[in-house]
Amino acid sequence: MLKLLARIPPLLLVVIGFILGLALAGALLAPRALAIKPEDGAQEIPATSRIRLSFSRPMNQASVEAGFSTDPPQSGQFSWEGRELVFTPDAPWPSNTEVEVRLKAGALGRFPLPLLVSKSWHFRVGTPRVLYLWPASGRANLYLIDPGSESGAIQLTFHEAGVLDYTLSGDGTLVAFSLNTENGGQNLQTLDLISGEEKFIHACSAEVRCSNPALSPDGRWLAFVEQSLNVGSGGRSMPQGSQIRVLSVPDAEMVIAASPTDHTVRDPAWSPQGWLTYYDESLKATALLTFDPNAAPSPFTYVPNSLGAAGSWSPDGTRLVYPEIYFVPAQGDEEQGQSDTAYYSHLYQTDVTSGGTQDISPGDALQVEDASPVFSPDGTRLAFARKYLDPERWSPGRQLWLLDLSGVGSTELTSEPNYTFSAISWDPDSQRLAYMRRASSDLALGPEIWWMDLDTMESDLLVPGGYLPQWIP
């Protein structure tokens, strides 16, 4: 070998070394795809899951997007978070389907050097399932159940002090929840439904109550209510003013005030396009603001609401439907000066782009108590609960109703006057409902979770003693 090298001209050796050095440097400096979420081989992935690809170096975004594809083919939107590509599908992935994600070689980094090899990953989409809390009679934890399977419920969390409430990210992959601690405080934690990883993100002391967590659509921000407690007479903790706080899920140490310090506020939520909303008790209105962690919170509009009940956003984020008080002048005795006013609860819809508001409670009857509106994911229907208040049709409990938003009309789905229906949730295909049913006259019986197929109009008991159901796509 030494004799062979001795015969090679020195200049040629220099050239060969230079070429080998360039090849080695190119291999070391060339960008690489580091990780993908969902991970390769992942199972039971929610149908609305985003795909995230992270790279070792900053990338030429257009060239990466051009080399990206899926099988089955799926249209969607690309966005970038630093070196991470995020693909958001326009429609849910088909249930029980193997999805292949491909990235062609040649996509350029900013250097610019190309990806040297093509890559592919696989994950399997599961079926829609129902997330809920159980038991209502004791310290609850999070569970998961597939209504179409006989495999039974799966326990997701194991906290002896109990989970208080929870929220689900827009793509159905992350749960944030509040729970009691043994020292009397409360913590906020997250649970990754794909990996099963549970993560502590924020602690509240015994003097502060943290509740009503709400995840932004992209899962990056968690809004919650922070309420101070004051020890009153007899040693009892009395709630004081409440504020909305927002924390960064990736960087849990960043906690930002998102509401005026001199207002009492509650019920944080997010619109589909990422506006932060909350109910302002001081103004009797729902505040809407574009959340910016680097700017002071400043709502760009308010939607007046005397009742203060939570509403529902249309899937396109342009309309907000909520219960509101409807006043009807009663027929009084003019001679005796009687002029009482009756009031009921109707559903109102506000177009936040134009500010227009209209009463959309269906039917001719004014004497109703409509509540709990929820848009279907396809935006064509609205499920809600109704109770008649006139003497002829009055009942103890609210029934489940369906309003066709194309103008076809409304349908009563249940007729069980001694039960109240609430906590309504749609499946991603807009064909099934999960909801809570509870006896109106005997609260000791506790709640139940039921589900209904709107094609067949058949309903079935899903979880005795469960509450707060929500479909995972």
Side-chain angles (χ1 to χ4, degrees):
M1 176 62 71
L2 293 176
K3 291 182 179 180
L4 178 61
L5 291 174
R7 295 174 185 172
I8 300 175
L11 181 60
L12 182 58
L13 287 175
V14 171
V15 172
I16 293 174
F18 179 73
I19 293 174
L20 291 175
L22 283 179
L24 179 60
L28 293 175
L29 295 175
R32 291 173 292 115
L34 296 179
I36 184 172
K37 291 183 180 180
E39 295 179 353
D40 188 28
Q43 303 291 313
E44 297 295 325
I45 301 304
T48 52
S49 294
R50 299 179 178 92
I51 294 174
R52 294 176 175 268
L53 271 172
S54 60
F55 296 89
S56 60
R57 299 188 180 280
M59 301 297 294
N60 179 303
Q61 298 177 2
S63 69
V64 175
E65 293 168 13
F68 178 95
S69 65
T70 66
D71 185 19
Q74 177 70 285
S75 63
Q77 309 301 316
F78 293 104
S79 60
W80 288 81
E81 298 173 4
R83 298 179 183 179
E84 185 176 68
L85 167 68
V86 182
F87 176 76
T88 303
D90 289 335
W93 303 101
S95 298
N96 285 322
T97 300
E98 189 84 11
V99 175
E100 181 181 14
V101 182
R102 304 175 184 139
L103 185 62
K104 289 182 179 179
L108 297 174
R110 289 185 189 169
F111 191 59
L113 288 172
L115 286 170
L116 299 179
V117 294
S118 298
K119 299 275 289 184
S120 66
W121 304 266
H122 297 80
F123 61 86
R124 186 166 188 83
V125 180
T127 57
R129 296 159 292 168
V130 175
L131 183 68
Y132 63 94
L133 287 170
W134 184 91
S137 58
R139 295 176 177 178
N141 272 284
L142 285 164
Y143 288 77
L144 196 61
I145 192 168
D146 182 351
S149 171
E150 297 181 356
S151 58
I154 300 173
Q155 186 172 351
L156 299 179
T157 61
F158 299 83
H159 295 284
E160 294 184 3
V163 174
L164 300 175
D165 51 10
Y166 72 94
T167 179
L168 186 64
S169 63
D171 63 359
T173 62
L174 186 69
V175 180
F177 57 95
S178 61
L179 70 157
N180 288 318
T181 61
E182 297 297 339
N183 63 1
Q186 292 177 349
N187 286 347
L188 295 173
Q189 300 195 183
T190 59
L191 172 66
D192 189 316
L193 291 175
I194 296 177
S195 67
E197 179 186 4
E198 194 170 316
K199 180 182 175 183
F200 163 82
I201 56 174
H202 187 67
C204 291
S205 66
E207 293 76 30
V208 176
R209 179 180 297 164
C210 294
S211 62
N212 298 99
L215 277 166
S216 62
D218 59 9
R220 296 180 61 198
W221 300 98
L222 179 68
F224 62 97
V225 174
E226 184 180 274
Q227 186 170 45
S228 300
L229 302 176
N230 188 30
V231 178
S233 60
R236 296 182 60 186
S237 294
M238 305 296 293
Q240 302 298 305
S242 58
Q243 302 297 317
I244 303 299
R245 300 285 186 260
V246 178
L247 64 83
S248 168
V249 175
D251 179 13
E253 294 183 359
M254 181 189 296
V255 182
I256 303 163
S259 63
T261 57
D262 57 345
H263 289 202
T264 298
V265 296
R266 57 178 170 84
D267 296 334
W270 300 83
S271 74
Q273 64 269 72
W275 293 332
L276 175 62
T277 74
Y278 58 83
Y279 186 74
D280 192 317
E281 290 275 10
S282 304
L283 299 177
K284 298 298 180 185
T286 298
L288 281 69
L289 65 147
T290 301
F291 177 70
D292 183 351
N294 300 312
S298 179
F300 61 84
T301 192
Y302 290 91
V303 178
N305 184 352
S306 302
L307 199 57
S312 173
W313 283 97
S314 61
D316 62 4
T318 62
R319 292 163 292 154
L320 180 65
V321 171
Y322 51 92
E324 176 61 300
I325 296 175
Y326 181 90
F327 293 96
V328 180
Q331 298 296 325
D333 189 332
E334 295 183 0
E335 294 183 358
Q336 298 184 9
Q338 295 177 356
S339 135
D340 294 334
T341 300
Y343 58 91
Y344 307 101
S345 170
H346 282 197
L347 299 181
Y348 282 75
Q349 177 175 270
T350 293
D351 187 323
V352 296
T353 59
S354 67
T357 299
Q358 64 180 131
D359 182 348
I360 63 167
S361 276
D364 298 328
L366 296 175
Q367 301 180 44
V368 294
E369 185 181 87
D370 288 348
S372 306
V374 185
F375 274 96
S376 62
D378 61 12
T380 63
R381 293 179 287 183
L382 192 74
F384 66 99
R386 162 170 285 186
K387 175 180 177 178
Y388 284 105
L389 299 178
D390 57 279
E392 294 79 14
R393 292 176 292 182
W394 182 89
S395 65
R398 294 192 189 117
Q399 301 305 298
L400 199 59
W401 282 72
L402 196 63
L403 172 62
D404 191 315
L405 296 172
S406 65
V408 173
S410 57
T411 305
E412 187 176 20
L413 300 179
T414 61
S415 182
E416 302 177 68
N418 292 321
Y419 289 88
T420 288
F421 295 83
S422 62
I424 307 165
S425 177
W426 287 88
D427 84 329
D429 296 325
S430 301
Q431 295 301 322
R432 295 183 292 177
L433 294 174
Y435 49 89
M436 200 164 69
R437 190 188 84 156
R438 187 161 194 167
S440 302
S441 56
D442 189 356
L443 298 181
L445 294 178
E448 302 168 334
I449 296 176
W450 286 65
W451 72 293
M452 177 182 293
D453 188 317
L454 296 178
D455 286 334
T456 63
M457 301 303 289
E458 295 181 355
S459 59
D460 198 8
L461 175 64
L462 189 60
V463 183
Y467 63 105
L468 295 183
Q470 191 164 347
W471 283 95
I472 296 178

